[in-house]
Amino acid sequence: MHFTSEQRLDDGVLEREFTLGEIPGTLWTPGSAPAPLVLMAHNNGLPKADPRLVARARYTAARGYAVATIDAAGCGDRPRSAADEQARAELRRAMRAGEPVDEIFESLIGPLVDNAVPEWRTTLDALLELPGIHGPVGYSGGWAALGVRLAVVEPRIAAAGFFAGGYVPRAQREEARQVTIPLLFLLQWDDEGNPRQRALDLFDAFGSREKTLHANPGGHTGTPWFELEDGCRFLDRHLK
C-alpha cells in the first residue's frame, strides 16, 4: 500500500489517498488510535470521491473509526469494459422507457460484484496491517449486493449497514440467507430507483438474528442526516 497524499481536516481527521497495485483508495483516520475499521462502499460505478460518501466517511471517522473506500474494478475512473458500458446505456434507456430491467441489471451488477469482492478483501488485508487500525471490521454502504457477498465470505466483518437494496442480483438474494451478522438496513420509502417491496423482501431474507430496519419518507438521496448518528451508535455496539 502506497500513500500518495495526506491532509489533516478541520475535524482532526487525517485523510490519505493510497494505491494498492491498480486499486485507488482513500483512508480517513481519527486523531485517536487505535481505531476499528469500517469499509465504506459507494454505489456501483460511482467514484470514491462521491460527496455523499465522503461526508459519511468523515463523520464516521470523527466518531473514532478508521474508514476506507476504494474504486473497485469498473467503478469511478477505472476502466470499464465495452460490455459494461453497453449494459449501462441499455439500463438507462429501459428505465426511462419504463421497461423491465431485471435481466439487464443482472448482466451488469453480477460481474461487478464478482470482480469487486477480491479487491476489497485484498484492501482489507493491507489496511489491517497498518498501525492504529484493528478489527472487528464493519461494512457500510449503498452497494447492498457487494455488502451481502462480503458478509458471507469475509469472517472479519462483524456488522454491516446497508442502504436501499431494491435491485440486488438473484445470487445475492440467495446469499442473504447466509448472512448472520448484526445488520442495520436503511430504506427510503419513496426511492424512485429501488422497488420498496424488493427491499423489504431482502430484509426479510437475511438470516441475522439481530437486524433493524429504518424506513424514512423521501427519495433515494433523501436519507436523513440523523441516520448517520444512529449508524455510528450501531457500529459502537458491535465494533467497540
Side-chain angles (χ1 to χ4, degrees):
M1 178 173 285
H2 175 63
F3 288 102
T4 58
S5 68
E6 70 173 59
Q7 62 173 328
R8 182 71 65 178
L9 305 175
D10 292 341
D11 51 13
V13 170
L14 180 63
E15 179 184 87
R16 288 178 286 177
E17 301 291 328
F18 65 83
T19 57
L20 183 61
E22 297 181 353
I23 306 169
T26 308
L27 174 65
W28 295 266
T29 48
S32 57
L37 176 62
V38 175
L39 305 178
M40 194 166 284
H42 49 75
N43 210 359
N44 13 288
L46 293 177
K48 60 185 177 62
D50 178 74
R52 288 179 296 151
L53 180 143
V54 172
R56 294 199 307 269
R58 289 185 55 175
Y59 181 91
T60 306
R63 289 282 298 258
Y65 291 93
V67 182
T69 190
I70 64 171
D71 277 341
C75 297
D77 294 328
R78 295 187 66 184
R80 301 179 183 182
S81 70
D84 283 351
E85 289 300 277
Q86 182 178 352
R88 291 178 194 277
E90 181 62 16
L91 180 63
R92 290 191 294 267
R93 186 205 63 77
M95 292 184 73
R96 286 195 300 268
E99 298 174 359
V101 299
D102 287 45
E103 294 309 315
I104 304 172
F105 188 84
E106 290 281 340
S107 68
L108 174 63
I109 303 303
L112 278 178
V113 172
D114 291 340
N115 292 331
V117 166
E119 295 198 341
W120 273 99
R121 299 187 78 182
T122 296
T123 304
L124 177 57
D125 290 341
L127 290 167
L128 289 178
E129 292 180 357
L130 297 175
I133 297 178
H134 64 82
V137 179
Y139 175 89
S140 175
W143 196 351
L146 173 66
V148 170
R149 174 67 62 79
L150 283 174
V152 170
V153 303
E154 182 47 71
R156 290 171 292 185
I157 295 179
F162 297 140
F163 298 81
Y167 280 117
V168 170
R170 287 187 287 268
Q172 279 70 65
R173 290 184 174 276
E174 289 300 316
E175 289 173 334
R177 306 181 190 282
Q178 303 174 46
V179 175
T180 58
I181 60 175
L183 297 177
L184 176 62
F185 193 91
L186 301 185
L187 171 63
Q188 285 301 102
W189 202 247
D190 308 299
D191 191 335
E192 62 282 0
N194 283 278
R196 181 192 306 164
Q197 189 57 54
R198 289 193 182 196
L200 294 172
D201 290 344
L202 178 64
F203 177 78
D204 190 48
F206 285 122
S208 304
R209 294 185 62 184
E210 180 185 335
K211 55 182 181 179
T212 302
L213 171 68
H214 288 185
N216 291 283
H220 184 69
T221 61
T223 303
W225 186 254
F226 62 73
E227 290 290 2
L228 266 178
E229 183 177 356
D230 286 347
C232 284
R233 286 200 293 264
F234 168 79
L235 294 174
D236 291 345
R237 288 199 300 274
H238 300 290
L239 304 186
K240 289 186 175 180

